């Protein structure tokens, strides 16, 4: 034990939600002035643990010590009082308030706003200089990019005198350059003696920035190690409990005929926002076209149009024939009939009905198929059940119980249910959005193999992902979307994360003064709607 | 993994809720100086102690089955049809027009024709709010409840005008011709010496209602329409992804819902009153909401819940007749049952779930 007390010490924290043991006897100790990573798969209990620390949940058992003092954190006010600040994955900002107003919200000095705002403005200036946390105090939140929104969240915590900062999956919505900016901020904070807990599922971030790292699996803390003494492969193994392949094995593509031809596609959403702006591209048989981009740059809308639940103008040809983009045959059923299968970005809101059993979800979207009908009037539930059992066996869905509700499967197994349904229909084109979002590492491997196998069968695949690594390792060709436009296409072997990152931030050439600063400036001042809808 | 076994969810929770409502009702009766045990006995005897009582209980239950089913099917598509009352009023108009202006040869065809008219009128009344919801996004709770008032006003207008018997002072249509009269339970269960259900209004419509339960069950869980409807109810975004048209589902569901509510009229208008009077629905449209909530939107649950509410109605009427317990208190009792089985469902559910959980933990 060192002379200084740990900034945070958790002892034997346990928490159960109904039958689920989310945290089991977790002990952790974070020294002041360090960055401590917590890594684990979805559902490993990371967020629960941090919610306990921030006073959202009450632990069933266990004790919390802050700076060596036993602290009872009953709610978030108590956490703030103890010097803990939290930056959530989904920002908690008032969209139509200014940056300054958001920062003082809940921490006003008195009933009168003006003095509070003035004080906040002064402190903000000091903080900005100290930590490179530059924000425009008078910008309205909904007009600024996600990068700045996140900085506002960090400022909120610092303004409340936080010494301990918890960041939950902070880079999920950021471009690589923005993420680098964030990491520089975190390093500045560390230098000033702040303690940072970084929750993430990205191995690279852990390796890049943390001093120590704890690995969680199924509610338990499986290991805490010095970052300098571990490797990504070891961490992955600790997370999953077995050796995992971190690279995708694939042979060069055998490109066939043109399957999908998109020309000058434009999408304007219900709010009148122009989401997709004159996009054109092709996808061929036997090829994976990966679309990279920060969330909210029109990729989702593109998938929705092709999947048949968003209207568009322009032209889309499938196997050489025009597809209806606005009329009666622009729905999902018609798309499926044309050989387009779709694994949507958000499987919990779109791909699955969470309350339906697995077998009911297996027919979802294909419930009009002849093989699922007993007669003109009635569906053949037995046939669907049987089909589900077969699919579950082939895709190794666990548990292989067709009568379990979709919500009771893990993220990876939910994705396998969707994937089995869409792939086994033998489509000409597979649309697949965020194939491994919220999916455990073990299942990622399997899902990537399935996508490559489908390509090798000569199918066309349109992949949309915000994970650059995934795009780079899976795609045979990469297109980048920014602000609804295609920024260009690259071959994966001829590009790198840096170049793609620039394209994702809307820059085609490397500007003077270093690329990252330029990107940061671009995002900070031009603002733009980079992250809107993210 | 579900926290509770299914039987606990569908049987135990409603049972405990009813028990709680009963205890509270007993306390209220005690508080006004009456004997709750005697009151309960009177209710049971009055509603279930004779075929006459049963005849009333089943008559009320028939109304509630139709309106309960109407609310249930809408619930499955996550639509809250609060307009069962108005749709049943319009159903009554349909029945009256069918019975008065078409010369039916026999009650069987009259029943068929009147059912179709009732369903068509009820459905048409639901179609307007449905269309406004599907196309304009007008909230269906608001529109359907407003349509209840329009329906009442419309009926009022017709019954003091076009449909009134000339020279009569009463806002009611003429009595329907005998060929349209439906056989009551008294007619059907008449075995020479002993006549059951003497004087009670229950009629053949009860069996139509039971048939409707079975048909609706098959529709919801065995057909493609039911599948699409439930999908839409659980997740509109997923339904869109699957190519299920929200407009179609909202329209079709509300047409079925309105049709079912309208069909209530063959029981109260054609079966019982044999003419159309003002306020024939008597709030059954609203009771349907409680019935659907208590029946967990399951057609067979609705059947059971409708029987319970039939019992409460008939037992309550007896109570008002034979004791000094005021009529208003009956409404209090019914309200308590609705409160506990519907609104306060979670109050019973949460501790029960915790109980089952500790039991399972203990077993492990």
């Amino acid at each position: 034990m060192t002379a200084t007390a740990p900034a945070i010490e958790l002892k034997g924290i346990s928490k159960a939600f109904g039958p689920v043991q989310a945290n089991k006897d977790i002990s952790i100790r974070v020294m002041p002035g360090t960055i401590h990573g917590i890594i684990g798969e979805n559902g490993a209990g990371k967020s629960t643990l941090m919610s306990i620390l921030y006073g959202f949940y009450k632990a069933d058992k266990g004790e919390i010590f802050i700076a060596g003092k036993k602290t009872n954190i009953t709610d978030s006010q108590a956490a703030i009082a103890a010097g803990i600040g939290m930056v959530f994955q989904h920002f908690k900002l008032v969209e139509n308030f200014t940056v300054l107003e958001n920062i003082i919200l809940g921490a006003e000095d008195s009933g009168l706003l003006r003095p509070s705002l003035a004080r906040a403005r002064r402190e903000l200036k000091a903080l900005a200089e100290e930590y490179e946390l530059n924000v425009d105090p008078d910008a309205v939140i909904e007009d600024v990019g996600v990068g700045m929104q996140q900085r506002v969240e960090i400022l909120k915590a610092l303004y409340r005198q936080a010494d301990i900062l918890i960041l939950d999956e902070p880079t999920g919505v950021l471009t690589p350059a923005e993420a680098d900016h964030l990491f520089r901020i975190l390093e500045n904070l560390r230098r000033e003696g702040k303690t940072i807990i970084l929750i993430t599922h990205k191995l690279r971030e852990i390796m890049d920035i943390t001093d120590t790292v704890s690995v969680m699996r199924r509610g338990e803390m499986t290991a805490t190690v010095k970052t300098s003494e571990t490797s990504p492969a070891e961490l992955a193994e600790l997370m999953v409990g077995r050796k995992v392949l971190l690279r995708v094995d694939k042979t060069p593509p055998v490109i066939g005929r043109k399957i999908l031809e998109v020309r000058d596609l434009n999408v304007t959403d219900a709010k009148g926002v122009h989401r997709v702006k004159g996009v054109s591209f092709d996808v061929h048989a036997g090829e994976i076209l990966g679309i990279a981009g920060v969330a909210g740059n029109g990729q989702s809308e593109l998938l929705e149009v092709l999947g048949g639940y968003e209207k568009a103008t322009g032209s889309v040809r499938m196997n050489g024939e025009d597809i209806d983009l606005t009329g009666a045959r622009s729905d999902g059923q018609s798309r499926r009939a044309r050989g387009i299968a779709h694994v949507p970005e958000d499987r919990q809101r779109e791909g699955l009905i969470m309350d339906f059993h697995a077998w009911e979800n297996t027919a979802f979207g294909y419930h009009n198929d002849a093989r699922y009908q007993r007669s003109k009037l009635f569906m053949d539930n037995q046939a669907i059940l049987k089909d589900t059992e077969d699919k579950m066996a082939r895709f190794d869905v666990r548990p292989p119980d067709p009568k379990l509700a979709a919500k009771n499967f893990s993220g990876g197994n939910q994705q396998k249910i969707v994937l089995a349904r869409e792939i086994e229909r033998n489509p000409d084109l597979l649309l697949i959005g965020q194939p491994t979002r919220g999916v455990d590492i073990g299942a990622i491997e399997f899902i990537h193999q399935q996508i490559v196998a489908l390509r090798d069968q000569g199918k066309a695949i349109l992949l949309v992902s915000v994970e650059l690594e995934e795009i780079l390792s899976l795609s045979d060709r990469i297109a980048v979307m920014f602000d609804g436009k295609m920024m260009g296409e690259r071959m994966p072997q001829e590009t790198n994360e840096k170049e793609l990152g620039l394209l994702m931030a809307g820059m085609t050439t490397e500007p003077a003064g270093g690329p990252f600063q330029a990107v940061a400036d671009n995002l900070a001042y031009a603002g733009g709607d980079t992250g809107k809808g993210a | 993994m579900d926290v509770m076994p299914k039987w606990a969810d569908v049987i135990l929770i409603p049972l405990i809720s009813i028990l709680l409502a009963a205890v509270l009702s007993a306390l209220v009766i005690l508080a006004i100086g009456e004997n709750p045990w005697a009151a309960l006995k009177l209710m049971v005897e009055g509603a279930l102690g004779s075929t006459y009582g049963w005849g009333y209980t089943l008559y009320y239950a028939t109304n509630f089955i139709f309106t309960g089913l109407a609310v249930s099917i809408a619930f499955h598509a996550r639509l809250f049809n609060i307009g069962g009352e108005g749709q049943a009023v319009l159903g009554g108009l349909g029945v009256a027009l069918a019975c008065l202006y078409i010369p039916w040869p026999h009650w069987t065809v009259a029943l068929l024709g009147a059912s179709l008219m009732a369903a068509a009128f009820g459905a048409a009344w639901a179609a307007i709010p449905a269309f406004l919801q599907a196309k304009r996004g007008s909230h269906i709770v608001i529109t359907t409840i407003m349509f209840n008032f329009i329906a009442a006003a419309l009926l009022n207008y017709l019954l003091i005008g076009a449909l009134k018997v000339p020279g009569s002072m009463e806002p009611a249509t003429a009595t329907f011709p005998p060929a349209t009269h439906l056989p009551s339970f008294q007619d059907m269960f008449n075995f020479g010496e002993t006549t059951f259900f003497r004087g009670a209004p229950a009629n053949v419509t009860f069996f139509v209602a039971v048939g409707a339960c079975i048909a609706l069950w098959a529709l919801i869980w065995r057909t493609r329409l039911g599948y699409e409807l439930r999908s839409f109810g659980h997740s509109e975004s997923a339904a869109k992804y699957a190519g299920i048209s929200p407009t179609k589902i909202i329209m079709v569901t509300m047409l079925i819902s309105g049709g079912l509510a309208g069909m209530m009229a063959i029981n109260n208008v054609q079966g019982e009153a044999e003419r159309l009077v003002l306020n024939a629905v008597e709030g059954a449209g609203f009771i349907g909401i409680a019935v659907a909530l208590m029946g967990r939107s399951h057609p067979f649950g609705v059947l059971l819940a409708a029987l319970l509410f039939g019992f409460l109605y008939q037992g309550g009427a007896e109570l008002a007749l034979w004791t000094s317990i005021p009529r208003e208190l009956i409404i209090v009792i019914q309200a308590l049952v609705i409160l506990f089985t519907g609104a306060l469902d979670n109050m019973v559910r949460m501790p029960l779930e915790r109980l089952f959980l500790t039991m399972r933990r203990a077993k492990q």
Side-chain angles (χ1 to χ4, degrees), chain B residues 5 13 17 29 107 126 156 164 211 241 274-275 305 308 342:
Chain B
I13 291 181
S17 299
I29 294 174
W107 70 264
N156 223 329
K164 189 170 72 77
Y241 154 81
E274 296 174 350
R275 60 182 188 145
L308 173 76

Side-chain angles (χ1 to χ4, degrees), chain A residues 353-390:
Chain A
I353 305 253
M354 299 306 277
D355 288 329
F356 272 15
H357 295 157
W359 69 272
E360 289 175 294
N361 273 305
T362 291
F364 196 54
Y366 302 106
H367 50 278
N368 289 320
D369 279 14
R371 64 191 163 135
Y372 292 149
Q373 313 306 322
R374 179 192 299 270
S375 61
K376 256 191 140 58
L377 211 54
F378 294 112
M379 291 179 86
D380 190 346
N381 292 350
Q382 290 310 315
I384 304 174
L385 262 170
K386 180 77 188 49
D387 189 33
T388 309
E389 276 173 17
D390 296 346

Side-chain angles (χ1 to χ4, degrees), chain A residues 29-179:
Chain A
R29 164 196 283 254
V30 183
M31 298 310 290
T34 62
I35 300 183
H36 186 96
I38 295 183
I39 194 163
E41 302 186 311
N42 282 73
K46 299 170 297 203
S47 297
T48 306
L49 187 65
M50 289 307 117
S51 298
I52 289 170
L53 188 53
Y54 199 61
F56 277 1
Y57 298 135
K58 199 175 152 21
D60 300 338
K61 269 210 297 273
E63 296 175 322
I64 300 173
F65 294 86
I66 305 290
K69 221 169 62 213
K70 186 168 186 298
T71 311
N72 195 9
I73 298 177
T74 46
D75 54 23
S76 53
Q77 288 298 327
I80 291 167
I84 301 173
M86 183 131 173
V87 176
F88 292 92
Q89 193 173 357
H90 302 285
F91 305 146
K92 315 248 185 248
L93 297 170
V94 182
E95 292 263 299
N96 54 355
F97 274 19
T98 65
V99 168
L100 213 53
E101 285 169 332
N102 266 289
I103 284 173
I104 64 160
L105 184 65
E108 304 90 347
D109 299 331
S110 66
L112 293 172
L113 283 183
R114 204 171 275 277
S116 303
L117 285 167
R119 182 170 78 89
R121 194 182 292 276
R122 280 196 307 276
E123 290 198 13
L124 214 58
K125 206 155 168 246
L127 288 170
E129 281 161 12
E130 202 172 347
Y131 301 112
E132 223 185 307
L133 274 163
N134 41 326
V135 292
D136 172 4
D138 298 311
V140 176
I141 290 297
E142 59 192 356
D143 297 334
V144 306
V146 273
M148 199 199 277
Q149 293 190 6
Q150 192 171 52
R151 292 199 286 281
V152 173
E153 285 282 12
I154 295 172
L155 282 167
K156 258 169 70 179
L158 295 177
Y159 185 72
R160 286 159 177 73
Q161 313 291 328
D163 287 319
I164 301 161
L165 202 60
I166 306 168
L167 295 112
D168 190 3
E169 300 281 358
T171 58
V173 289
L174 303 182
T175 62
E178 286 176 304

Side-chain angles (χ1 to χ4, degrees), chain A residues 16 34 202 245 253 351 467 474 483:
Chain A
T34 62
K202 290 180 184 162
L245 205 62
E467 305 278 352
L474 273 182
D483 193 24

